[in-house]
Structures are given as structure tokens and as C-alpha cells.
Amino acid sequence: MVSSSSMGDDGLIHRLGHAKALLGILAGAGASYGIYKLVQKRSRTKSVDSGGHENRTGVEPGSLIAKVSGFNVVGAPGSSSGDIFTKSPGSLEPHHIGMLLSLLQKNPNPSERAQVLLTLGNAAAFTVNQDLIHDLGGLHVIAGYLSNPSADVRVQSLNALNNLSMNLKNQEHLKVYVPQVLELIEISPVNSDLQLAALRLLTNMSVTDKHQHLLKSSITLFLSLLVVANEALQIQVLKVLVNLSSNPDMMEDIVQSQAPASLVLLFDRCTSVAVLLRLLTFVGNLRAWRPSTQVAQALRWRQESLYCVLLDESSQLHHRLPLLLSHPDGEIKAQVARTLT
């Protein structure tokens, strides 16, 4: 887990650029984040079959991965299979899933492992396969590649676990990997595919309040990432924060977390609509919380806390929010009006 150690604005970007620095759910909704659309990458290697046809997939014609991963693989001339082997993720049979899990563990080639994980991730978009992978012990097999030396393998492992986490039963088994996923966010380059994939998984894991407590010591990490990340990653961070802030039991942990003072600058017309809407939803959840006089007084002594940055009477947010009432987007204006009431 990431600690909430002190971090000033001046050194923030410098720290986030290093290996151990603090740093991709619809706004206001409690529904689960939709299935992540996995994008199949072409292999960096090329080969030519015996007939002179170029094979860009990096897998052998007729191999298991060619048959079950959905690739269009050119086979040798005269092949009885019609030269093309395809299998859509939705039509994989139980023995295919078992063979993929076996191949994943036996094949040492990183690029082929990544492709097998991609196939398992696509298959996990279907409920029947989520249950099947669970019953075959595949959750722990796939999660075992979160520490693989290959970044592509780690990304595809996260993507597969993301789809598997759509199943609440699976979440009970995946919760033990939350600290490892948080560490990946912390040590990975800012705006990397690894960070985005890890945050997608945490979005699903934080849909209900059952496992949200596992993230409470990493709120500072999320808030720090917000001020340096690109739009895609900001949106994903905010989906997690909106989920957490919808739980009253998490609120005290959220507001006392250290936050960069520059966070308030995101409440601006220049911020993208998608990010701003989620920021306003997050703040709306925070403002709905009513601390006792004693708690509020204690929080005011922590000048770097989120409470002081966004909620206290001295916060610049109180001056910035009314300016957004003239925002050209109608939904932004409506959300600001709700927040101010």
C-alpha cells in the first residue's frame, strides 16, 4: 500500500517521474464499469510460410493459439482447414480454456504469453467463461503474471483480471492482489498502459463497498496522479474516487488524505468536460458529508489535507465554482448549481 507521506507541490512532478514516485464508473453512478475493449496488438516479428505468404501474427499456422485466439493465420497451401483458423472468444469451449491456461504456464515466450492472456481476457467478457476460469483455478494463474518482467504481459494480465472482476464471486479471490495492483500504479511510468489497466481493475473492485477499505491508504496516490495525468488516466482515477466517495464510511479517510494544492486548478473551463463532470460529482459527494465540529476543527490543522484544499472555508474552490456557472456545457452548469446548493 502507498503511504500518505508528505509531498509538496514543487517536487510533485519530479517525484512522479521516478520509479518509486507517488503519482486509466460513470460519474455519480454505482453501476459497474463496462467491459474494457481490448485492442489486439500486432507482433513485432514477421515470418513467411512455405508458400511465400507473410504471417504477421508471430504464431505458427495450426497451433493451439492460432486455433483459439481469433487470429487469421495463413497456413500451408492445400491445408484442409481452408488455410484460416479462427475462433471467437464467445465460442470457446471448456477444454479450450483449460488448454489456454496450460499453454500460458508452459510457454516461456513473452509475446505469446501476452497473446494467450489477451485471448483469456476476451473470453472473460462472457459470464460463463468468468465462472469457468474461476473453476479451473485460472484467477490465480493469470494474477501470477502481474509480476512478470514483460510490461505487455503485465498489462494483459490486468486486462484479463479486469473482465474477470465483473463477477462479484471472483472479486473475493482477486482482493488479495489489490496491494500488488496499487504498487504497479505507483512504480509504473505516468500515463502508461500499466497504470490505466490497473485503475480499470480497481474501478471494478470499488463498485461496491465490500473492498473499498483496501484502497483507503492510497487516496493520496490517486489525488497526486490527478494533477499530472493525461485525460484518459484522470477519468479512470476519478471513477475510483467517485466510487469511494459514495461510501459515507470512507469519507473521513478521504478528506484527511494529503492532496496537492494545485488540485483546485482543475476546476476550470479549460479542463475537459469528461474530467470536470467527474470532479464535480466527486466534490458533490464530499460536500454532502457533514463532519462534526470537533472533526472539522481537527481537519483544519492539516493544511495539506483534501479537506483544506477543497472543503474548508479558506479553499479557493469556493471562488472557482461560481465561475463555472457560465460554462458552455449545460450539464456542467447544472452540476455546479447542484453542488452550490
Side-chain angles (χ1 to χ4, degrees):
M1 285 291 187
V2 180
S3 67
S4 300
S5 59
S6 178
M7 176 175 62
D9 275 351
D10 292 341
L12 181 60
I13 295 178
H14 173 73
R15 295 188 185 191
L16 288 166
H18 288 79
K20 273 291 183 182
L22 284 177
L23 296 173
I25 299 293
L26 296 174
S32 175
Y33 174 69
I35 296 169
Y36 172 49
K37 184 179 180 183
L38 298 172
V39 180
Q40 178 176 306
K41 293 184 177 179
R42 292 184 177 180
S43 174
R44 293 184 178 87
T45 61
K46 297 180 182 179
S47 61
V48 179
D49 65 40
S50 58
H53 300 96
E54 187 175 77
N55 172 14
R56 296 176 178 268
T57 64
V59 296
E60 290 297 323
S63 66
L64 171 63
I65 194 169
K67 292 179 180 179
V68 301
S69 65
F71 296 137
N72 292 334
V73 181
V74 179
S79 169
S80 60
S81 65
D83 298 336
I84 297 178
F85 299 93
T86 59
K87 196 80 173 177
S88 67
S91 63
L92 292 180
E93 299 175 12
H95 70 277
H96 289 135
I97 299 292
M99 292 166 73
L100 281 167
L101 290 170
S102 177
L103 179 61
L104 180 62
Q105 298 171 83
K106 292 179 180 179
N107 193 333
N109 185 293
S111 63
E112 290 189 16
R113 269 183 173 165
Q115 297 292 0
V116 173
L117 285 165
L118 172 64
T119 303
L120 287 166
N122 285 332
F126 300 88
T127 302
V128 63
N129 290 333
Q130 293 168 5
D131 293 332
L132 182 57
I133 292 172
H134 168 273
D135 294 342
L136 291 174
L139 298 180
H140 299 301
V141 171
I142 293 170
Y145 292 93
L146 290 175
S147 57
N148 191 272
S150 167
D152 286 343
V153 169
R154 295 197 300 273
V155 168
Q156 294 304 336
S157 175
L158 286 165
N159 288 341
L161 293 175
N162 175 48
N163 278 353
L164 288 165
S165 70
M166 298 287 289
N167 186 312
L168 294 181
K169 179 178 69 174
N170 286 344
Q171 287 192 9
E172 282 300 310
H173 298 271
L174 295 177
K175 65 184 180 183
V176 298
Y177 300 105
V178 168
Q180 191 174 357
V181 173
L182 288 166
E183 184 181 13
L184 281 174
I185 295 173
E186 182 182 357
I187 67 175
S188 298
V190 177
N191 298 326
S192 63
D193 289 341
L194 270 166
Q195 283 191 333
L196 187 60
L199 285 163
R200 290 183 190 277
L201 174 56
L202 294 183
T203 300
N204 280 347
M205 294 295 294
S206 63
V207 167
T208 69
D209 59 11
K210 195 165 188 180
H211 308 303
Q212 290 178 349
H213 66 282
L214 299 173
L215 305 181
K216 65 182 182 181
S217 63
S218 295
I219 294 168
T220 291
L221 172 66
F222 301 142
L223 296 172
S224 301
L225 186 56
L226 265 182
V227 300
V228 296
N230 60 21
E231 180 180 342
L233 210 65
Q234 285 178 322
I235 289 173
Q236 207 62 51
V237 170
L238 283 164
K239 286 177 180 179
V240 175
L241 289 173
V242 167
N243 283 349
L244 298 182
S245 64
S246 66
N247 181 359
D249 293 336
M250 287 290 296
M251 197 60 69
E252 194 163 332
D253 291 296
I254 294 173
V255 298
Q256 69 181 353
S257 297
Q258 184 179 341
S262 56
L263 184 62
V264 73
L265 300 179
L266 291 176
F267 294 84
D268 187 87
R269 290 167 62 98
C270 295
T271 300
S272 77
V273 170
V275 170
L276 193 51
L277 279 173
R278 289 173 173 84
L279 276 169
L280 291 168
T281 301
F282 178 53
V283 168
N285 287 347
L286 297 181
R287 290 167 70 101
W289 177 68
R290 295 290 183 267
S292 66
T293 302
Q294 183 178 4
V295 170
Q297 186 63 37
L299 288 169
R300 288 191 182 99
W301 285 100
R302 305 184 62 171
Q303 293 299 311
E304 294 183 345
S305 69
L306 183 64
Y307 181 85
C308 287
V309 172
L310 293 185
L311 297 180
D312 193 35
E313 294 176 357
S314 61
S315 171
Q316 290 297 311
L317 184 62
H318 299 298
H319 304 290
R320 300 183 73 90
L321 280 179
L323 299 177
L324 292 174
L325 287 171
S326 61
H327 197 283
D329 184 87
E331 194 172 355
I332 293 287
K333 289 189 288 188
Q335 184 70 10
V336 171
R338 288 193 293 270
T339 302
L340 290 174
T341 55

